Amino acid sequence: MTRRDARSIGPRLAAICRDYFAVAIAELEALHMQAEGTEHVPKIDDLPARERQIVERAIGGAHAALAAIAAGKFKSTIPALTGLLDRAKALELLSRTDPAMAPALLNGASDLVGDLASKFGSSHRDQAVSASSQTSGSTSQSNDLVEKDKTRNRQTKTKMMPTFSQAAGRYLSKHREDGKMGEKDVRRYEKILNAFTRLYGDRPIDQYETDDLDDFLDLIENVPLYTDLSKITLDERGEFVVPPASHVKTLSAASIVSTLAPIRSVMSSECRKLRITDPFAPVRYDRPKANAPYRPLKVDVINQAIHLGVERRNLLSSLMIPLSILTARRIGLLCYLNASWLEKTGDYYIVRPTREVDLPNGEGRVPVKTDESLMAFALHQYLVERGIVQFMNETSFLFPDILTTENPAAAASKRMNRILRSAGAGGRAVGETFHSIRTRAITHYRRHVPDAVRIQAGHAAADVHESYDWAEVTPELVPRVATCPLPEGISFDPIGAWDFSVLKKLAADEPRKQTFTGYRRGVR
């Protein structure tokens, strides 16, 4: 805000304060006249001492603020007046629409003037206090100053800035015309922009401040889920009144960001056109780390998920949970499990992943988190007995259906997490997702083959000495991992009798797609 802007806002703020308190005085006098049954011209001297003190202090504070602004008595920064102006407008509106509320608004008005005086330092606060000794002539003097302010404002010729609502209207019209945003999203943006304008005033673009969006961010961080922003109002103290809600949860981090998005976009777009500084640019929302660490899923949840997966009658839903438990590997890598990775060592098999794989439509890239994810691991005999090695030797990939999606790893994770939630998992907020199965698998292998668990899970060595010892899966470790006891309590009964013929039938029953987008693009 420039010095000129502050000087134009100051008189308006002072005029609104004086105008409001004139209404308050008249209403208070009218109440006293009704109580006494007499008729006389309202005078400030007739008010009770407490109310008279508040009114005098308010008028004095407005005068002191106006005088300081007119004299240009600023220190290093321009005082933030726009928020105070909105509060004064709210008080004035309430007093005019419901005069009976005027006496109850005096405390809120007193706080407003205290904040107003604090913007000008202690010397100006002292002026406000000394001004409170004015007599009943203060009211008539206030009316004269109001008229002078109005005349001065009419004579002032300044460049007209577009208001926020005008900028928002152009922004929404543009998106409706270019068709890049659906009508549903446009209406949602419109609702958010209207709510912001109603709560913070429809002011010229250059009269908004960083505190406005910061305050709005504080509001939406604390409102209950599904709150209608259009139903939020302001009380007599200028505080937000949020309607009661049946939900105790608040908005998610993603919802908060999407609520701020249209306000940020309108302001930044308009400021670029006007070549002025965007006041909302400094506002940052730090996403809270609300998600709990991954933790092992309960045994009954896993068992129920295995049953639900088999009922879906497709390979990925049926086999991914047992596969994850017995390999301890991430789901993104398991999506690309194929025959070219298999290597026989004696009577057992190891899997040696590669960063690239040959797909029907070209070369694909396997999503790996670290280089250690490419370390070879043992394939449990239980999986071999179910026929997956024979199946891959015939079809190449174990899960060809999921590779037809845009992002196989994400699609598989979404599908399996949906099954887990149906089985009773709590979801990401409490650390119960498909990745939690890997946590249980690592815990299981650490109990039975502690010297092989790191390489089986594909984790980095704790120090350089450990990397020398465990740089590669050894022939001695493979049998121990491949024949490791199954986890206690987990029932693989739904696939206990499966063999190659069952896998082949499931693959034949899956719907086929003609395109292989996932094959072409891999995972970014």
Side-chain angles (χ1 to χ4, degrees):
M1 182 189 301
T2 64
R3 192 181 299 270
R4 179 183 299 174
D5 297 331
R7 285 154 91 158
S8 67
I9 293 175
R12 292 165 54 198
L13 177 59
I16 289 176
C17 285
R18 290 194 298 271
D19 204 13
Y20 159 68
F21 287 113
V23 175
I25 292 169
E27 178 59 26
L28 285 169
E29 292 290 349
L31 293 176
H32 286 294
M33 285 190 295
Q34 293 175 4
E36 298 172 1
T38 60
E39 294 184 1
H40 63 280
V41 178
K43 295 180 180 179
I44 194 171
D45 292 336
D46 295 331
L47 295 175
R50 173 182 166 278
E51 295 168 349
R52 183 170 66 250
Q53 183 180 9
I54 293 176
V55 173
E56 288 178 341
R57 177 174 176 269
I59 295 175
H63 288 171
L66 178 57
I69 292 172
K73 294 180 180 179
F74 301 106
K75 296 180 181 178
S76 59
T77 58
I78 300 299
L81 297 176
T82 50
L84 298 174
L85 179 62
D86 288 339
R87 288 168 59 187
K89 285 181 177 179
L91 290 171
E92 181 191 29
L93 178 63
L94 284 172
S95 65
R96 288 188 180 281
T97 56
D98 190 2
M101 285 287 295
L105 300 179
L106 283 176
N107 286 335
S110 179
D111 293 341
L112 167 62
V113 175
D115 293 341
L116 176 65
S118 68
K119 294 290 184 183
F120 299 93
S122 59
S123 61
H124 299 134
R125 192 179 299 110
D126 295 338
Q127 294 178 29
V129 173
S130 63
S132 66
S133 61
Q134 295 175 356
T135 61
S136 59
S138 299
T139 305
S140 59
Q141 182 182 2
S142 299
N143 293 333
D144 293 338
L145 286 173
V146 171
E147 293 301 323
K148 290 180 180 179
D149 288 337
K150 291 180 179 179
T151 302
R152 188 186 303 111
N153 290 336
R154 283 195 298 266
Q155 294 173 348
T156 301
K157 294 181 179 180
T158 58
K159 180 181 178 180
M160 296 299 295
M161 283 279 180
T163 63
F164 188 84
S165 63
Q166 292 172 340
R170 288 195 292 269
Y171 178 84
L172 295 173
S173 298
K174 176 179 177 296
H175 281 286
R176 280 194 171 100
E177 292 172 0
D178 60 25
K180 293 182 179 180
M181 183 183 293
E183 182 60 27
K184 181 180 179 180
D185 291 328
V186 172
R187 289 198 301 270
R188 176 177 170 273
Y189 270 34
E190 187 175 24
K191 191 173 184 179
I192 294 172
L193 294 169
N194 289 340
F196 180 79
T197 305
R198 183 176 55 81
L199 293 173
Y200 293 90
D202 187 18
R203 308 195 297 267
I205 289 294
D206 62 338
Q207 292 184 13
Y208 285 90
E209 298 177 354
T210 304
D211 288 344
D212 293 326
L213 192 60
D214 260 332
D215 193 41
F216 184 70
L217 174 58
D218 291 338
L219 169 65
I220 62 176
E221 278 184 308
N222 295 288
V223 297
L225 195 62
Y226 305 126
T227 297
D228 187 351
L229 295 180
S230 64
K231 300 295 179 61
I232 299 176
T233 58
L234 293 170
D235 62 12
E236 63 272 11
R237 298 177 63 87
E239 301 292 336
F240 293 115
V241 178
V242 180
S246 58
H247 297 272
V248 294
K249 293 183 179 180
T250 55
L251 296 179
S252 66
S255 297
I256 292 174
V257 171
S258 65
T259 303
L260 294 177
I263 303 171
R264 285 182 179 277
S265 299
V266 169
M267 182 61 74
S268 62
S269 175
E270 201 66 25
C271 287
R272 282 196 301 269
K273 294 177 184 176
L274 298 171
R275 296 184 179 181
I276 60 176
T277 302
D278 180 0
F280 294 165
V283 178
R284 293 289 182 269
Y285 172 62
D286 297 325
R287 290 173 178 258
K289 296 180 179 180
N291 297 324
Y294 294 111
R295 62 185 184 187
L297 287 171
K298 295 179 181 179
V299 171
D300 56 346
V301 172
I302 295 178
N303 290 338
Q304 178 65 13
I306 293 175
H307 278 276
L308 293 176
V310 172
E311 289 177 359
R312 302 292 176 93
R313 301 197 62 77
N314 65 73
L315 282 175
L316 186 132
S317 300
S318 303
L319 286 180
M320 186 57 81
I321 293 178
L323 185 66
S324 179
I325 293 175
L326 296 178
T327 62
R329 289 305 179 107
R330 297 180 178 91
I331 191 171
L333 183 142
L334 295 178
C335 287
Y336 289 84
L337 190 59
N338 66 91
S340 67
W341 289 359
L342 297 178
E343 180 180 313
K344 193 167 185 179
T345 302
D347 294 332
Y348 308 101
Y349 287 89
I350 64 172
V351 179
R352 195 178 297 278
T354 58
R355 197 176 294 273
E356 286 82 23
V357 291
D358 293 326
L359 301 172
N361 287 16
E363 191 176 72
R365 188 173 181 84
V366 179
V368 291
K369 185 176 181 180
T370 63
D371 290 339
E372 287 75 17
S373 299
L374 295 175
M375 290 192 299
F377 59 93
L379 191 63
H380 200 283
Q381 279 297 98
Y382 184 85
L383 298 173
V384 177
E385 293 168 0
R386 303 286 83 74
I388 69 170
V389 171
Q390 186 180 359
F391 181 80
M392 285 189 287
N393 285 332
E394 182 170 309
T395 64
S396 183
F397 288 91
L398 181 58
F399 303 118
D401 178 61
I402 201 64
L403 296 177
T404 63
T405 61
E406 178 78 13
N407 187 329
S413 179
K414 183 177 180 180
R415 183 185 298 181
M416 297 310 302
N417 277 310
R418 190 182 300 120
I419 293 174
L420 287 176
R421 285 195 298 271
S422 299
R428 191 179 179 190
V430 295
E432 295 182 353
T433 65
F434 187 81
H435 196 75
S436 304
I437 293 178
R438 186 167 184 254
T439 304
R440 179 169 286 280
I442 292 173
T443 303
H444 171 69
Y445 279 121
R446 186 168 58 226
R447 182 182 302 117
H448 292 278
V449 281
D451 51 344
V453 62
R454 182 188 70 82
I455 199 167
Q456 180 70 13
H459 281 159
D463 55 49
V464 65
H465 303 290
E466 188 181 8
S467 66
Y468 276 100
D469 293 336
W470 285 5
E472 174 63 44
V473 60
T474 63
E476 295 79 18
L477 289 176
V478 173
R480 294 172 56 198
V481 178
T483 59
C484 179
L486 298 179
E488 295 180 6
I490 296 180
S491 174
F492 293 138
D493 290 345
I495 63 171
W498 282 18
D499 55 17
F500 169 70
S501 61
V502 176
L503 300 183
K504 192 171 182 179
K505 184 177 186 306
L506 281 176
D509 291 341
E510 288 182 348
R512 288 295 177 187
K513 296 183 180 180
Q514 299 301 318
T515 60
F516 287 81
T517 305
Y519 281 172
R520 289 197 303 271
R521 299 188 182 183
V523 176
R524 294 173 293 277

